[in-house]
Amino acid sequence: MMRQIVTPASLPDAALAALKDWLGITISADDASLAVLLRAALDVCTDFIGQMPLAATIEETLPLTGAWQALSTRPVMAISTVESVALDGTRTALTLVGHDREILADGTGRVRVYDNGAITRFAVRFTAGIASDWDHLPEPLRHGIIRLAAHQYRSRESAGAEPLPPASVAALWRPWRRLRLT
């Protein structure tokens, strides 16, 4: 399985404003570096909770097995396209007759492509995320992202790396953490 983020989640100006407010920064000189820290904090949140916090467009390429296959990114909001991928990389959209797709109650997206003998893999493009935008993201997740970015900003010149996320941020995110047994 190969995963690619086609359209990353957008972090609005409100997120940057919240971080600057938390840090007590009133000038715009550090806006670019603060935006990078916010993006990194969002990535750490994604890895920690095992879900996409904010809606993003994802594409996963899976081998053709003929069985139901779960998408690895969660929670799935919508599955937009399913395409066959030829050995040379050319793609063909599959009709609804050629595959089934479903989204389970827990946010797991599943796809089953019927074996027609001509393809060995297929690509699924979908939207995944707990919230559609920053304003609808649960407050503890938002606050944890801001706190982690602020923590990284304040410790940017410290002697060594500390474990991420700090315990205070992990406590905010823990209720949304999804663990999978492999």
Side-chain angles (χ1 to χ4, degrees), residues 160-173:
E162 299 174 16
L164 288 180
S168 61
V169 173
L172 292 168
W173 291 345

Side-chain angles (χ1 to χ4, degrees), residues 59-62 81-85 91 121-125:
E59 183 175 277
E60 292 186 14
T61 304
L62 303 162
T81 62
V82 179
E83 300 174 314
S84 64
V85 181
R91 294 172 173 234
R121 60 193 171 125
F122 62 97
V124 181
R125 190 168 285 201

